[in-house]
Amino acid sequence: KQEVTQIPAALSVPEGENLVLNCSFTDSAIYNLQWFRQDPGKGLTSLLLIQSSQREQTSGRLNASLDKSSGRSTLYIAASQPGDSATYLCAVKNQGGKLIFGQGTELSVKP
Amino acid sequence: DVKVTQSSRYLVKRTGEKVFLECVQDMDHENMFWYRQDPGLGLRLIYFSYDVKMKEKGDIPEGYSVSREKKERFSLILESASTNQTSMYLCASSPVAGNTIYFGEGSWLTVV
């Protein structure tokens, strides 16, 4: 059974720092992996999607990598800003089309 | 822009009441989903639908049912609400051939 884990559960950094959020999964037979952002009391917004055949995806200050063999993905945020404060969730899509979510990392960027 | 609209953001219902949560998407997506999100448990899939009048159970369907009479609308029904169904409910949709999933803003349900 696929399990997705995100460590740490919470992270606080000063503005301007580069940071890395981690996501691990137990079954490497995935279709894709997606990173989401969730603001308090709101729904999820898709940030980056990496297909199983890809190694990374970039969007602005965000870069997501995927290493299927080790069951890991990282989300790199460059030059963090207070507006980046949110919960970040990763989700893997298995071959059956089902999305399995991690529990998220709550990020706080202090001015 | 894709829009997934959950009409009720905040609801308070009594134990035993029948509750309807409505979700509408405007992008002609085939797939629609209902999740619940609880602290420490993350997002859990309740039901999903790949087509009109079609439904499949997710991981935690007990106590819930769904209805999809039109392609754009997917309703979650709590036949007899219980306090353990107090949660944030998230609706989502995606195209059949696409990968990205789009979420609504969520519906906060409190059962007292």
Side-chain angles (χ1 to χ4, degrees), chain B residues 15-105:
Chain B
T15 300
E17 273 193 77
K18 190 168 186 175
V19 181
F20 292 86
L21 299 180
E22 305 287 347
C23 175
V24 176
Q25 50 96 1
D26 65 358
M27 286 303 292
D28 203 36
H29 287 169
E30 288 80 8
N31 304 332
M32 295 190 75
F33 309 85
W34 274 106
Y35 291 88
R36 65 178 281 177
Q37 185 176 27
D38 301 285
L41 297 176
L43 271 83
R44 294 179 291 168
L45 181 63
I46 306 171
Y47 266 97
F48 59 100
S49 169
Y50 288 147
D51 203 350
V52 176
K53 296 192 186 295
M54 178 272 181
K55 60 185 177 185
E56 291 284 344
K57 292 181 180 178
D59 297 319
I60 51 162
E62 296 79 19
Y64 303 94
S65 63
V66 290
S67 171
R68 193 158 179 210
E69 295 297 317
K70 292 185 178 182
K71 191 175 185 180
E72 67 271 19
R73 187 180 297 271
F74 192 36
S75 303
L76 180 69
I77 303 157
L78 288 67
E79 293 289 343
S80 178
S82 62
T83 54
N84 63 11
Q85 291 178 310
T86 291
S87 186
M88 163 109 147
Y89 290 87
L90 288 163
C91 175
S93 73
S94 72
V96 68
N99 295 298
T100 302
I101 185 169
Y102 300 88
F103 281 85
E105 292 275 272

Side-chain angles (χ1 to χ4, degrees), chain A residues 47-105:
Chain A
L47 296 172
L48 289 165
L49 184 147
I50 311 176
Q51 300 290 356
S52 63
S53 58
Q54 296 175 322
R55 296 285 299 198
E56 66 177 346
Q57 282 287 338
T58 298
S59 175
R61 293 182 294 108
L62 305 180
N63 175 275
S65 68
L66 174 63
D67 183 344
K68 273 200 338 177
S69 60
S70 67
R72 293 186 182 188
S73 176
T74 60
L75 178 67
Y76 174 83
I77 303 177
S80 59
Q81 303 169 357
D84 294 330
S85 298
T87 297
Y88 291 81
L89 296 101
C90 72
V92 299
K93 191 173 189 178
N94 65 14
Q95 300 295 332
K98 189 174 164 183
L99 266 184
I100 297 135
F101 286 84
Q103 296 199 12
T105 294

Side-chain angles (χ1 to χ4, degrees), chain A residues 3-63:
Chain A
E3 291 182 5
V4 181
T5 304
Q6 292 185 247
I7 295 173
L11 181 64
S12 181
V13 301
E15 182 177 3
E17 266 201 17
N18 303 325
L19 60 100
V20 174
L21 306 180
N22 297 296
C23 172
S24 61
F25 47 94
T26 54
D27 186 349
S28 62
I30 64 170
Y31 186 69
N32 62 42
L33 183 144
Q34 202 161 355
W35 281 93
F36 295 87
R37 170 186 172 135
Q38 185 177 29
D39 292 294
K42 299 290 184 86
L44 281 67
T45 301
S46 179
L47 296 172
L48 289 165
L49 184 147
I50 311 176
Q51 300 290 356
S52 63
S53 58
Q54 296 175 322
R55 296 285 299 198
E56 66 177 346
Q57 282 287 338
T58 298
S59 175
R61 293 182 294 108
L62 305 180
N63 175 275

